[in-house]
Amino acid sequence: MNLLELGQSFLVTVYTLALVVVSMYGLHRWVLVILYFRHRKNVPTPPSTFDPLPRVTVQLPMFNESLVAQRIIEQTCLIDYPRDRMEIQVLDDSTDETTEICRRTVESCRARGFDVSFVHRTNRQGYKAGALENGLKSATGEFVTIFDADFIPPPDILQRSVHYFTDPKVCVVQTRWEHLNRNDSLLTRSQAMFLDGHFMIEHVARNRSDRFMSFNGTAGTWRRKAIEDAGGWRNDTLTEDLDLSYRAQLKGWKFVFLPELASPAELPPEMDAFKAQQFRWTKGGAQTALKMLPRLLLSKAPLKVKIEGFFHLTGFTLHFYMALLVLLLFPAACVRASAHGEVNVWLTLFDMTVFTLATLSATVFYAASQFQLFRDWRTAFKFMPMLMALGVGMCISNTKAIFEAVLGKRSEFVRTPKYGCSSANGGGVTTGGVRPKRKNHWLPYVEMGFGIYLGACALLSMASVWGLLGSPFLVIFAFGFFYVSVLSFQARREPVGTVASEPVASRQ
């Protein structure tokens, strides 16, 4: 075998392995859907009720959130809970006008009789995890509820969730996220469906089948004793919520997820903000997997917990495997054709079958979530090409996040920019405030290059039998890279202080 043949063999082997791994995660999505329908009726109920109600500390961590700081503080004061049993901590690490907004709002709320304290740090040590841990030093509550700055807490959230803690083994009650600007654009609509699948299918399937789930960092309540028992908030990963979740559950603590209790928040309305969020979640997930997966697999947890935990903690790797697939999809087909003198129909059918099954599993997954939330499964089918395109288009940025985590590269906690989207009409942006300056980056150029490459591959493949089957996927993938890169470039051209968004014509 000469060097060329060796290289071709290696290319096809890598492509096939990537395809097999992607198909395994597609199969896992089927498992989650089956678990969901099998256990969805195992609705948790509180074993008793508190009388009197326990003291709760509500923590509001924020960093340069000038557009939403006043809203979250005032909305938290509207929570229906006895004033003498609820303490509110504004944990502010800001370096801009947010600090003065918080201070002024806290003083106003205190004048109206609310127990609100303002805790300001100047070093931002430990980022969000550090702010939460610092707040616990002076917190007086037995339970701790956390809201990020862009959330609007429903008034009944504590009354409907706190009684689950009458079970002494429960450490977290997590509520579902709802989306203030769901229908603002194609980007926010796609994000909403991604998160709907995560909350409605993944969380319900894992939680009600006695598998490990994760706290989502906000819109949930912790038993303070459990935080301390698990080792407290730590900042050695960018996903301190996922890290603490696994540490607590390995200690024997239980989670409760309430999909019927929703906490509204905004979705990133522009691509740069969405990328920053996904990059942090992906890198933090990889860091947490490197830290917690060995502990999980060596623990005494049941086998089903270990298997689900493996797929949960390693789900981020799909971005890397998808990057490999889109890069090698066309070359692998060409190598196979040259090796056999013609396109091998059986190998081609195998490839397309795997892609189709993976696509079908995702479609059923998101259709199930939309049906359970809105009795609407058709939307998932309509948006499936867009969900595929966006997922693939994000794989370059997220693969970079994975490599940084594996190589141990440290980076600061980059908050997701908040824009003050209102609940009226599902969107809108509050004016005012200063946005962080955008930095030039090479990723949009790479993404644009991938789009051009896949577009060319789609055109070339249409001349072959393989193209009749494979070109639709190539077109979708190419569109995904073009979409992500173009919106990234658009965001960089917008003046700081405005929001780059899609034309109104693209809104539903």
Side-chain angles (χ1 to χ4, degrees), residues 234-460:
R234 297 178 183 172
N235 68 318
D236 52 347
T237 74
L238 293 178
T239 47
E240 72 292 325
D241 44 7
L242 179 61
D243 173 34
L244 182 58
S245 296
Y246 268 79
R247 283 189 278 121
Q249 288 170 110
L250 285 172
K251 285 275 189 175
W253 292 99
K254 291 169 50 179
F255 278 44
V256 172
F257 175 58
L258 303 179
E260 69 280 2
L261 182 54
S263 300
E266 71 176 57
L267 295 161
E270 69 168 26
M271 185 58 70
D272 269 10
F274 179 52
K275 275 185 172 180
Q277 180 193 71
Q278 295 299 308
F279 187 92
R280 189 180 76 246
W281 288 358
T282 301
K283 184 172 180 177
Q287 292 170 330
T288 303
L290 292 170
K291 175 182 177 180
M292 295 305 303
L293 190 56
R295 299 188 199 181
L296 173 66
L297 297 179
L298 294 174
S299 73
K300 295 181 180 180
L303 180 60
K304 68 176 185 179
V305 171
K306 293 181 179 181
I307 293 174
E308 181 56 38
F310 173 83
F311 280 100
H312 184 191
L313 290 174
T314 61
F316 64 88
T317 60
L318 267 177
H319 301 295
F320 170 68
Y321 293 115
M322 284 305 303
L324 279 180
L325 281 183
V326 298
L327 187 64
L328 300 179
L329 181 61
F330 184 74
C334 292
V335 169
R336 286 172 172 176
S338 63
H340 293 86
E342 59 181 7
V343 173
N344 189 309
V345 176
W346 292 110
L347 288 176
T348 302
L349 286 175
F350 170 75
D351 290 356
M352 294 306 105
T353 299
V354 170
F355 273 108
T356 302
L357 289 177
T359 303
L360 185 59
S361 72
T363 304
V364 171
F365 181 84
Y366 292 112
S369 71
Q370 297 305 294
F371 181 78
Q372 293 304 308
L373 285 172
F374 311 112
R375 291 296 183 263
D376 172 25
W377 54 267
R378 295 177 180 85
T379 298
F381 283 87
K382 182 172 66 174
F383 275 85
M384 200 60 230
M386 182 60 205
L387 295 182
M388 287 178 58
L390 183 58
V392 171
M394 292 293 295
C395 72
I396 302 301
S397 176
N398 290 336
T399 295
K400 178 177 180 290
I402 294 170
F403 279 116
E404 285 192 7
V406 172
L407 296 174
K409 181 180 179 181
R410 303 289 293 176
S411 59
E412 69 175 22
F413 185 103
V414 179
R415 59 176 271 281
T416 305
K418 313 298 192 304
Y419 303 95
C421 297
S422 69
S423 58
N425 301 321
V429 178
T430 304
T431 59
V434 178
R435 292 264 303 283
K437 292 183 179 180
R438 299 187 178 94
K439 299 178 180 179
N440 292 323
H441 206 280
W442 50 267
L443 276 176
Y445 296 96
V446 176
E447 290 155 353
M448 178 64 75
F450 265 72
I452 295 171
Y453 162 72
L454 289 171
C457 290
L459 291 175
L460 291 172

Side-chain angles (χ1 to χ4, degrees), residues 476-497:
I476 291 173
F477 297 163
F479 172 78
F481 285 112
F482 282 130
Y483 180 80
V484 170
S485 62
V486 167
L487 287 190
S488 297
F489 285 127
Q490 180 187 4
R492 282 160 173 74
R493 286 197 299 269
E494 293 287 337
V496 174

Side-chain angles (χ1 to χ4, degrees), residues 45-54 81 143 157-168 170 173 223 258:
T45 56
S48 184
T49 57
F50 285 112
D51 187 18
L53 289 169
Y81 206 75
F143 302 99
I157 186 168
L158 291 182
Q159 294 280 8
R160 293 177 61 185
S161 63
V162 75
H163 297 293
Y164 289 88
F165 289 104
T166 55
D167 181 346
V170 170
V173 176
R223 187 188 297 270
L258 303 179

Side-chain angles (χ1 to χ4, degrees), residues 89-117:
Q89 288 185 330
V90 179
L91 307 177
D92 177 50
D93 289 355
S94 300
T95 58
D96 66 357
E97 68 269 26
T98 302
T99 298
E100 184 55 36
I101 294 172
C102 289
R103 195 188 310 276
R104 186 172 61 247
T105 308
V106 166
E107 290 175 356
S108 173
C109 292
R110 288 183 65 84
R112 289 182 281 145
F114 294 100
D115 184 0
V116 189
S117 61

Side-chain angles (χ1 to χ4, degrees), residues 174-201:
Q174 173 72 58
T175 65
R176 180 173 57 84
W177 295 1
E178 190 43 78
H179 317 294
L180 295 171
N181 54 337
R182 171 188 293 270
N183 296 317
D184 261 20
S185 68
L186 193 58
L187 177 61
T188 58
R189 189 66 179 269
S190 301
Q191 291 178 65
M193 291 185 65
F194 281 135
L195 289 171
D196 289 344
H198 169 65
F199 280 95
M200 282 306 300
I201 305 301

Side-chain angles (χ1 to χ4, degrees), residues 65-138:
E65 315 280 11
S66 60
L67 297 178
V68 293
Q70 181 177 342
R71 184 183 70 183
I72 179 60
I73 298 171
E74 292 180 342
Q75 288 290 328
T76 302
C77 289
L78 297 179
I79 292 177
D80 180 18
Y81 206 75
R83 292 191 184 183
D84 63 335
R85 312 301 294 168
M86 184 175 72
E87 169 196 33
I88 302 172
Q89 288 185 330
V90 179
L91 307 177
D92 177 50
D93 289 355
S94 300
T95 58
D96 66 357
E97 68 269 26
T98 302
T99 298
E100 184 55 36
I101 294 172
C102 289
R103 195 188 310 276
R104 186 172 61 247
T105 308
V106 166
E107 290 175 356
S108 173
C109 292
R110 288 183 65 84
R112 289 182 281 145
F114 294 100
D115 184 0
V116 189
S117 61
F118 178 64
V119 182
H120 179 65
R121 299 192 310 164
T122 58
N123 56 18
R124 211 190 173 199
Q125 183 177 357
Y127 305 110
K128 181 180 178 180
L132 295 173
E133 190 71 22
N134 183 61
L136 285 178
K137 296 176 182 178
S138 57

